Amino acid sequence: MARFIFNMLLLFLLVPATQTFAQRATPSYAHYRQDANINLQGLEDQILYYINQHRKAIGKPALQMIDVASKQATIHSVDMAKQKTPFGHEGFESRINTITKQTGNVNAAAENVATGKLTAQQVVDGWLHSPGHKKNIEGNYNFTGIGVAKDNNGQVFYTQIFILK
């Protein structure tokens, strides 16, 4: 039973959100190999690469990374890793308000989060196999911010914010 609970903890949950719609999705991701040694260095750029590779394949323009959105995504991932906020989208509107204050009007926004000991490709693949997350990835957005953080147990928290300006 303890092994079952441990294995369930290793699975990651994906929860997409948009400014007007929050969908909670928990598809099975048991087929992903959990990697205890995930290196955070360059992980955000790798996630962006796979996101833009998918967008290009479906005829969508690439997303451009903007610092203010990445900073907000990173803060959220760190807060989840430190258990200052629960896993999910708590504070999403505040993150978007901060981005809006620094960049001007935001026409639309969405957010994907994930947690697990997963590579960038596994995170993106998981999002693409979840209808709500896939909708965000394929949405009418032109900017993004990505942030990752690791907790004391090596669990990684991933946040991607999507912005339309």
Side-chain angles (χ1 to χ4, degrees), residues 87-157:
F87 175 73
H89 300 287
E90 188 173 294
F92 173 69
E93 289 182 21
S94 177
R95 287 187 287 285
I96 300 310
N97 288 338
T98 299
I99 293 166
T100 300
K101 287 176 187 174
Q102 294 184 32
T103 65
N105 191 39
V106 169
N107 295 314
E111 178 177 81
N112 285 353
V113 299
T115 186
K117 298 174 183 176
L118 304 162
T119 66
Q121 188 170 17
Q122 289 172 325
V123 170
V124 173
D125 186 60
W127 283 336
L128 289 172
H129 284 90
S130 167
H133 298 92
K134 184 176 182 180
K135 181 179 177 183
N136 290 344
I137 290 168
E138 296 178 351
N140 184 26
Y141 302 106
N142 51 359
F143 295 101
T144 192
I146 302 169
V148 296
K150 193 182 287 190
D151 72 8
N152 291 334
N153 298 318
Q155 190 78 353
V156 182
F157 293 82

Side-chain angles (χ1 to χ4, degrees), residues 3 19-21 33 35 46 57 68 70 83 85 102 115 117 119 134-135 138-139:
R3 177 119 177 110
Q19 205 157 13
T20 58
F21 176 71
R33 181 182 64 83
D35 185 347
Q46 293 169 28
V68 64
S70 289
Q83 298 181 340
T85 188
Q102 294 184 32
T115 186
K117 298 174 183 176
T119 66
K134 184 176 182 180
K135 181 179 177 183
E138 296 178 351

Side-chain angles (χ1 to χ4, degrees), residues 51-110:
I51 293 288
N52 281 336
Q53 187 177 48
H54 175 77
R55 287 177 61 91
K56 181 179 178 181
I58 62 167
K60 294 280 187 174
L63 298 174
Q64 295 179 9
M65 191 93 78
I66 55 173
D67 289 341
V68 64
S70 289
K71 181 177 180 180
Q72 290 302 305
T74 299
I75 290 168
H76 185 54
S77 290
V78 168
D79 285 349
M80 289 188 294
K82 291 183 175 181
Q83 298 181 340
K84 288 184 177 180
T85 188
F87 175 73
H89 300 287
E90 188 173 294
F92 173 69
E93 289 182 21
S94 177
R95 287 187 287 285
I96 300 310
N97 288 338
T98 299
I99 293 166
T100 300
K101 287 176 187 174
Q102 294 184 32
T103 65
N105 191 39
V106 169
N107 295 314

Side-chain angles (χ1 to χ4, degrees), residues 8-59:
M8 293 305 292
L9 290 174
L10 290 180
L11 296 177
F12 70 97
L13 301 174
L14 301 175
V15 187
T18 65
Q19 205 157 13
T20 58
F21 176 71
Q23 174 185 352
R24 303 224 179 268
T26 55
S28 174
Y29 293 92
H31 62 281
Y32 290 110
R33 181 182 64 83
Q34 301 285 313
D35 185 347
N37 298 313
I38 292 293
N39 183 351
L40 300 188
Q41 187 70 32
L43 198 52
E44 295 94 341
D45 291 333
Q46 293 169 28
I47 291 170
L48 181 61
Y49 170 80
Y50 292 115
I51 293 288
N52 281 336
Q53 187 177 48
H54 175 77
R55 287 177 61 91
K56 181 179 178 181
I58 62 167

